[in-house]
Amino acid sequence: DGDSPVIITGDFNYTKDSRGYSIMTTKQNPISFNDTKDIAQNPFEGKPQTINGFNEEKAPERIIDFIFVKEGINVKEYDIFRIRENDIYISDHYPVFSKIMF
Protein backbone atom coordinates (compact mmCIF):
# COMPACT_ATOMS: atom_id res chain seq x y z
CA ASP A 1 0.00 0.00 0.00
CA GLY A 2 3.03 2.29 0.18
CA ASP A 3 2.26 3.27 3.78
CA SER A 4 3.75 0.28 5.60
CA PRO A 5 7.00 0.71 7.52
CA VAL A 6 9.95 -0.96 5.79
CA ILE A 7 13.33 -1.89 7.28
CA ILE A 8 16.10 -3.36 5.13
CA THR A 9 19.29 -4.75 6.65
CA GLY A 10 22.28 -6.50 5.26
CA ASP A 11 25.86 -6.85 4.18
CA PHE A 12 25.56 -4.84 0.98
CA ASN A 13 29.29 -4.80 0.17
CA TYR A 14 29.14 -1.22 -0.98
CA THR A 15 30.05 2.09 0.60
CA LYS A 16 28.17 5.38 0.84
CA ASP A 17 29.80 6.67 -2.33
CA SER A 18 28.69 3.67 -4.42
CA ARG A 19 25.90 3.49 -6.99
CA GLY A 20 23.99 0.90 -4.91
CA TYR A 21 23.86 3.18 -1.89
CA SER A 22 22.73 6.06 -4.07
CA ILE A 23 19.90 3.98 -5.55
CA MET A 24 18.68 3.04 -2.06
CA THR A 25 18.71 6.58 -0.71
CA THR A 26 17.82 8.80 -3.66
CA LYS A 27 14.67 10.85 -3.13
CA GLN A 28 13.93 10.47 -6.87
CA ASN A 29 12.68 6.89 -6.34
CA PRO A 30 9.00 6.40 -5.49
CA ILE A 31 10.15 4.79 -2.23
CA SER A 32 13.45 5.98 -0.84
CA PHE A 33 15.21 4.86 2.27
CA ASN A 34 17.27 6.55 4.96
CA ASP A 35 20.50 5.18 6.37
CA THR A 36 19.81 4.87 10.10
CA LYS A 37 23.33 6.11 10.85
CA ASP A 38 22.47 9.44 9.22
CA ILE A 39 19.13 10.03 10.92
CA ALA A 40 19.72 8.65 14.42
CA GLN A 41 18.80 11.12 17.14
CA ASN A 42 21.91 10.19 19.12
CA PRO A 43 24.89 10.70 16.77
CA PHE A 44 27.23 7.77 16.22
CA GLU A 45 30.66 8.46 17.68
CA GLY A 46 32.43 5.14 17.19
CA LYS A 47 34.96 3.91 14.67
CA PRO A 48 33.31 3.75 11.21
CA GLN A 49 34.19 0.16 10.38
CA THR A 50 31.78 -2.76 9.95
CA ILE A 51 34.22 -5.15 8.32
CA ASN A 52 37.09 -6.63 10.29
CA GLY A 53 38.19 -9.54 8.09
CA PHE A 54 39.11 -11.40 11.30
CA ASN A 55 41.98 -8.91 11.70
CA GLU A 56 40.81 -5.40 12.52
CA GLU A 57 44.24 -3.80 12.10
CA LYS A 58 44.49 -4.95 8.46
CA ALA A 59 40.82 -4.46 7.54
CA PRO A 60 39.79 -1.29 5.71
CA GLU A 61 38.07 1.34 7.82
CA ARG A 62 34.72 1.55 6.06
CA ILE A 63 31.06 0.77 6.52
CA ILE A 64 29.59 -1.79 4.11
CA ASP A 65 26.73 -3.07 6.30
CA PHE A 66 23.63 -0.93 6.61
CA ILE A 67 20.18 -0.61 8.09
CA PHE A 68 17.86 1.33 5.82
CA VAL A 69 14.40 2.55 6.83
CA LYS A 70 11.55 4.04 4.87
CA GLU A 71 10.66 7.69 5.42
CA GLY A 72 8.70 8.31 8.60
CA ILE A 73 10.48 5.79 10.81
CA ASN A 74 12.04 7.35 13.90
CA VAL A 75 15.59 6.18 14.66
CA LYS A 76 16.77 6.75 18.23
CA GLU A 77 20.22 5.13 18.08
CA TYR A 78 22.77 3.67 15.70
CA ASP A 79 25.83 1.70 16.70
CA ILE A 80 28.39 -0.81 15.48
CA PHE A 81 29.00 -3.55 18.03
CA ARG A 82 32.70 -4.34 18.04
CA ILE A 83 32.34 -7.85 19.43
CA ARG A 84 35.11 -10.34 20.07
CA GLU A 85 34.98 -13.26 22.48
CA ASN A 86 38.25 -14.33 24.08
CA ASP A 87 40.06 -12.27 21.43
CA ILE A 88 38.26 -14.26 18.69
CA TYR A 89 36.06 -12.48 16.17
CA ILE A 90 32.54 -13.90 15.99
CA SER A 91 32.29 -12.89 12.31
CA ASP A 92 34.29 -11.08 9.64
CA HIS A 93 31.79 -8.22 10.08
CA TYR A 94 30.69 -6.32 13.15
CA PRO A 95 26.94 -6.26 13.86
CA VAL A 96 25.14 -3.01 13.07
CA PHE A 97 22.42 -1.89 15.51
CA SER A 98 19.63 0.66 15.37
CA LYS A 99 16.95 1.42 17.93
CA ILE A 100 13.86 2.15 15.85
CA MET A 101 10.52 3.56 17.01
CA PHE A 102 7.21 3.37 15.15
Side-chain angles (χ1 to χ4, degrees):
D1 64 5
D3 293 327
S4 299
V6 178
I7 302 167
I8 300 173
T9 67
D11 168 10
F12 293 91
N13 284 323
Y14 52 63
T15 58
K16 278 187 115 167
D17 59 350
S18 71
R19 184 170 184 269
Y21 185 93
S22 177
I23 290 169
M24 290 293 293
T25 59
T26 184
K27 303 303 179 202
Q28 296 171 349
N29 283 335
I31 299 176
S32 65
F33 297 92
N34 293 312
D35 181 344
T36 58
K37 180 180 180 294
D38 294 338
I39 64 169
Q41 292 175 5
N42 296 327
F44 174 68
E45 296 180 2
K47 188 174 181 182
Q49 181 181 24
T50 61
I51 185 169
N52 62 55
F54 298 109
N55 185 341
E56 183 175 355
E57 289 75 33
K58 292 183 179 182
E61 189 170 298
R62 64 182 182 206
I63 295 175
I64 63 171
D65 304 276
F66 299 94
I67 301 173
F68 295 107
V69 295
K70 191 173 148 190
E71 288 287 335
I73 294 179
N74 186 9
V75 178
K76 299 286 186 184
E77 297 175 37
Y78 169 91
D79 205 351
I80 299 168
F81 293 154
R82 306 178 73 72
I83 300 172
R84 285 192 281 181
E85 293 183 11
N86 299 321
D87 212 30
I88 298 172
Y89 294 90
I90 62 170
S91 171
D92 63 332
H93 292 244
Y94 292 120
V96 178
F97 165 84
S98 288
K99 185 176 185 180
I100 297 169
M101 306 297 287
F102 294 92

